[in-house]
Amino acid sequence: MSGPSTVKDEPIRSRDQLVEYIASGGKPETDWRIGTEHEKFGFRLDDLRPPAWDGERGIGALLEGLTRFGWDRVEEDGKLIALLRDGASVTLEPAGQLELSGAPLASIHETCSEVTGHLREVKTVADGLDLGFLGMGFQPKWSRADMPWMPKGRYAIMRRYMPKVGSLGLDMMTRTCTVQVNLDFADEADMVKKFRVSLALQPVATALFADSPFTEGKPNGYLSYRSHIWTDTDPDRTGMLDFVFEDGFGYERYVDYLLDVPMYFSYRDGRYIDLAGRSFRRFMDGRLDELPGATPTLKDFADHLTTAFPEVRLKKYLEMRGADGGPWGRLCALPAFWVGLLYDGEALDAAWDLVKDFSIAERHALRDGVPKQALKLSFRGGSVRDLAAEALRIAAGGLARRARRNGQGADESIFLEPLIEIVEANQTSAERKLELFHGRWNGSVDPVFTEFAY
């Protein structure tokens, strides 16, 4: 969830403009980049509570402290809400989860270096404020009522609307964290193939990264509760997008889907206009009561693109949205997994061969089953663990053929090692934490804030 887009205010005259806007993301393979985003929970070291925006130890103070590292300030109504530097940004999720949206980089080596540098900067500032940060998919200890709200206009609109369309949307906003990677495509055909492969395999990523087994200090019956939350957030803007697998799918079909996703807002003259539940199609016809006679610009459409939350999201690039947040090594592993599968032609062909005959029912069974069972979910006489092992084998081959090496001569496949260990042990991070909870932690989640903090 980001702020208002920086796209220019060009009036929308036709649906074709929207198709062209997405199509303009296509680029030659030499220009493909990797943009990694990750969110993390802040907590006060003395009482483990999430910090509010204001106060001497607040998230606002943390952002202020980060400006010493050359970040430019972004304010809303006089309050510091984000930072920008060299194509990257640091932003706030609704309850103050701190997000790094990384710059578009050429290799996972650069991505991992970026993540490392960011976490070092955050820790430097956080130590002075007696704050810590934790990477997990769901807040393990605190209730929804315990979570603060950040002073951002779009979140106030979403906060009012979410309870009207699902029972867990406010939990999605305040108590979840993810790691995502944004990847390029060459043209429409390449986009379609990558979209289908990544959508079919998104449950495998969910299983590999499952790390949200606790709610309010107790096991919640899930391994990725974060993933489950999306099933009851807002059916109009989430899910597995079955139409992506239909013949004829392309930019136009995705634009038609977006036009049917209800709006949240329009950002005009420095403020958010609440349009929650309104139709973008009616907006294009100038028929919104809240903005009489007004029609949208490309900037409105770019903002609207960010309010659809399917498992894979298309903008001018593809976003992989299925993974729980986690520790440093998995923040580098997620882009490695998807780059290995999607950025090498041989790997992409092999990945498509793996998933092309999945039925709609099978894709949904994977999506619905992995939040509870992760790698142990049965699938076609085997399990998701088998699927994950094969996907990792394909990804490793893709990364080896990409042959992007670090100073020691290692290619990017080294970043898959945390995932290979999870598959070999047949134990997700969530299951490891549950083992600790029932064992050494004596039924308390508090140790997670020390043993698994950055």
Side-chain angles (χ1 to χ4, degrees), residues 214-396:
F214 304 115
T215 299
E216 293 168 33
K218 296 285 185 285
N220 53 33
Y222 291 83
L223 300 178
S224 177
Y225 188 63
R226 183 205 62 84
S227 181
H228 168 69
I229 277 174
W230 282 108
T231 66
D232 192 6
T233 289
D234 182 345
D236 290 327
R237 65 187 78 240
T238 58
M240 288 293 280
L241 305 190
D242 295 330
F243 66 83
V244 169
F245 297 91
E246 293 172 3
D247 289 346
F249 170 71
Y251 299 135
E252 289 192 32
R253 181 68 183 83
Y254 195 78
V255 165
D256 288 339
Y257 157 72
L258 284 167
L259 292 178
D260 290 326
V261 170
M263 296 180 67
Y264 281 145
F265 61 82
S266 175
Y267 188 74
R268 307 222 152 187
D269 303 319
R271 67 190 186 98
Y272 288 91
I273 312 294
D274 188 343
L275 300 175
R278 304 298 182 268
S279 161
F280 203 93
R281 292 183 193 274
R282 284 180 68 91
F283 194 11
M284 286 177 69
D285 293 337
R287 294 189 297 130
L288 289 187
D289 293 343
E290 294 83 356
L291 292 168
T295 56
T297 66
L298 274 181
K299 185 176 164 307
D300 285 312
F301 182 65
D303 284 340
H304 186 54
L305 277 169
T306 70
T307 67
F309 304 127
E311 294 292 296
V312 177
R313 179 162 68 186
L314 175 62
K315 294 181 182 173
K316 290 189 178 186
Y317 45 82
L318 286 164
E319 294 182 358
M320 308 296 126
R321 299 176 47 81
D324 285 3
W328 173 85
R330 288 213 309 278
L331 303 181
C332 307
L334 184 88
F337 180 71
W338 289 115
V339 166
L341 290 170
L342 304 183
Y343 270 16
D344 171 76
E346 189 178 324
L348 183 58
D349 286 343
W352 177 235
D353 284 341
L354 183 63
V355 304
K356 65 185 178 186
D357 67 340
F358 288 8
S359 67
I360 289 178
E362 284 177 322
R363 287 195 299 268
H364 282 266
L366 287 169
R367 168 67 187 91
D368 296 341
V370 292
K372 275 196 170 180
Q373 295 178 265
L375 297 174
K376 295 178 176 69
L377 178 69
S378 296
F379 185 76
R380 290 192 171 182
S383 67
V384 170
R385 181 193 185 192
D386 302 322
L387 262 185
E390 182 60 16
L392 284 167
R393 188 191 65 76
I394 294 169

Side-chain angles (χ1 to χ4, degrees), residues 1 15 20 29 40 104 114 131 148 159 207 212 218 248 273 275 284-285 292 308 318-319 361 366 385 419 434 443:
M1 291 180 208
R15 169 178 168 275
E20 288 164 12
E29 186 173 352
K40 48 209 165 290
E114 176 188 57
L131 298 176
R159 183 181 184 180
S212 41
K218 296 285 185 285
I273 312 294
L275 300 175
M284 286 177 69
D285 293 337
L318 286 164
E319 294 182 358
L366 287 169
R385 181 193 185 192
L419 305 182
L434 286 166

